[in-house]
Amino acid sequence: HQAVLAQKPPIIDHTVTTAMPLTRIALQLYGADARVKMEEIYLLNPNLRMPHWVPAGTVLRVVSPVVRQ
């Protein structure tokens, strides 16, 4: 059980450097997987008030992006 959990990507803090929509942030972090990661981002950031415009300096909790080979 612990070995399976250890394989999951960690949750990290991601600081938004330029104000932009959350969909664009997800695209930058996850590429083609952005659409399926949106619900996860909302769940990790319940206080996110304006997903259509996330201000610079906002710190989002996200699952660490995984490089696929």
Side-chain angles (χ1 to χ4, degrees):
H1 176 73
Q2 292 296 333
V4 172
L5 290 177
Q7 292 178 8
K8 289 187 176 186
I11 295 173
I12 61 169
D13 290 337
H14 172 75
T15 302
V16 178
T17 56
T18 304
M20 66 182 78
L22 186 60
T23 52
R24 187 164 164 206
I25 295 167
L27 188 59
Q28 288 180 345
L29 289 170
Y30 303 113
D33 294 333
R35 186 178 299 258
V36 296
K37 293 289 190 176
M38 289 299 295
E39 183 177 353
E40 193 173 72
I41 294 172
Y42 284 122
L43 289 172
L44 290 171
N45 298 279
N47 294 328
L48 190 61
R49 303 219 186 283
M50 299 187 308
H52 58 278
W53 197 250
V54 181
T58 301
V59 178
L60 298 173
R61 302 281 292 155
V62 298
V63 173
S64 182
V66 175
V67 177
R68 284 200 264 168
Q69 299 181 2

